[in-house]
Amino acid sequence: MRTRLIALSCCIALTAIFAFAQTGDFQPATIVSIDKLASDAQHPEYGDHYRIGMRIGDTIYVCRGSGGPAQYMGWSPNKEASARIDPKAKTMTVKGPNDQVVELTITGKKTVK
């Protein structure tokens, strides 16, 4: 009986460790704003670009993303998402409200008081 209890405890601990490891260092974020940038007649390849404001803690990150409208469906101000920041590459990986993972380029940041 004692051996089974120890084995069960180990299994529960390993499951918790693996579940925590899969989340990585994602942290809660709030979408502050999302704006579709105007397309240019001379450069139609820039037609699907978005400027997105993400708030993590007391910092608002101004980001740029590209992709089709389906990728940003469900994104609106005050929606919750999970984000991970790579300061070296100046990128933010976001698990959006529709559970799609999007890579954004950080163009600036502001600290909110």
Side-chain angles (χ1 to χ4, degrees):
M1 180 71 180
R2 186 173 182 202
T3 307
R4 289 183 183 170
L5 183 61
I6 292 173
L8 180 63
S9 298
C10 288
C11 289
I12 291 172
L14 285 174
T15 304
I17 289 170
F18 287 132
F20 182 75
Q22 286 182 349
T23 60
D25 53 351
F26 279 89
Q27 48 194 335
T30 304
I31 300 169
V32 177
S33 65
I34 179 165
D35 300 313
K36 186 172 187 340
L37 299 177
S39 59
D40 186 0
Q42 295 178 348
H43 300 284
E45 66 272 11
Y46 298 134
D48 289 331
H49 283 230
Y50 295 85
R51 183 181 2 207
I52 302 165
M54 299 290 295
R55 181 178 183 149
I56 300 175
D58 291 337
T59 305
I60 295 177
Y61 293 90
V62 180
C63 304
R64 185 182 45 203
S66 62
Q71 198 168 24
Y72 297 101
M73 188 157 303
W75 290 49
S76 62
N78 298 322
K79 287 265 185 151
E80 295 292 321
S82 297
R84 176 176 54 204
I85 298 172
D86 183 0
K88 292 180 184 176
K90 293 188 178 183
T91 60
M92 179 184 295
T93 305
V94 180
K95 287 183 185 176
N98 55 0
D99 290 333
Q100 286 189 342
V101 178
V102 178
E103 182 98 9
L104 303 175
T105 303
I106 299 172
T107 58
K109 67 180 181 176
K110 302 174 189 175
T111 303
V112 181
K113 295 179 183 177

